[in-house]
Amino acid sequence: MSQTRNVDLRKEVFNKPQYEQVIDTSFSQLGVASISASAEDQISIEEFFGYYNSLFYDIPPTGETNSHEFLVKNSGEYINFDQIAEEILALQQEIAGLREELLAEQIKVVELESGVTVNTGSLGLGENTDTSIISTSISSGGQSAESGTTSNNSVY
């Protein structure tokens, strides 16, 4: 009661150049983009910063993601910002120390040239480090004059 039917099978064989022309070997069916297609979809650095500049005020200032704070933290980690900030602080402290040394030497030059002793105690250049009050006392000939008074031997 079953019917028998003959089916003719044909087999076509292609050599390699014919195969590549007849058969599509790309993965377009799977939804995977090719390398060249994905490269076309990426934005350039110039385009990124163009978008960033146009969206700058729309980006929230703080937040764990998608914020200026997030950008600063991630970029800071990438460039070792903490280490750089520490180096900057150390260099600023060194500059401050060198400025103090220079000022002390300039005061010595003034004292040697004028023969007048300058009291630098309140400038923090000697033992006294109180810099909240800046008053310079000038001694000449056994007399002392505060910097607020007018005298022929005063140095301001």
Side-chain angles (χ1 to χ4, degrees):
M1 311 219 201
S2 72
Q3 292 181 345
T4 311
R5 212 162 115 190
N6 288 338
V7 178
D8 290 330
L9 297 175
R10 288 184 284 153
K11 180 178 177 183
E12 284 187 54
V13 179
F14 301 105
N15 62 23
K16 185 166 178 145
Q18 288 175 326
Y19 173 80
E20 291 175 352
Q21 291 175 353
V22 174
I23 306 295
D24 183 13
T25 59
S26 68
F27 289 101
S28 60
Q29 299 291 324
L30 298 175
V32 178
S34 67
I35 294 173
S36 62
S38 65
E40 291 173 5
D41 292 340
Q42 288 187 342
I43 63 171
S44 68
I45 293 173
E46 291 81 18
E47 290 172 323
F48 169 79
F49 281 106
Y51 291 137
Y52 176 75
N53 289 332
S54 66
L55 296 171
F56 185 84
Y57 292 106
D58 296 331
I59 299 171
T62 57
E64 291 188 28
T65 59
N66 299 334
S67 68
H68 287 286
E69 178 183 22
F70 174 78
L71 290 171
V72 168
K73 284 181 181 177
N74 283 350
S75 295
E77 289 173 7
Y78 180 70
I79 64 168
N80 297 324
F81 183 75
D82 291 337
Q83 181 182 0
I84 294 169
E86 289 174 9
E87 289 176 21
I88 290 171
L89 182 60
L91 290 171
Q92 287 174 334
Q93 290 172 346
E94 183 179 351
I95 289 169
L98 292 171
R99 285 180 176 167
E100 287 178 10
E101 289 177 27
L102 178 62
L103 179 59
E105 295 302 317
Q106 288 174 336
I107 289 172
K108 287 180 185 177
V109 168
V110 168
E111 288 176 342
L112 291 172
E113 288 178 351
S114 67
V116 176
T117 303
V118 178
N119 181 356
T120 60
S122 63
L123 294 176
L125 298 174
E127 297 170 6
N128 184 358
T129 58
D130 180 19
T131 58
S132 62
I133 303 171
I134 299 178
S135 65
T136 305
S137 298
I138 302 172
S139 300
S140 176
Q143 295 182 343
S144 175
E146 290 295 313
S147 64
T149 60
T150 306
S151 170
N152 290 341
N153 294 330
S154 295
V155 176
Y156 294 99

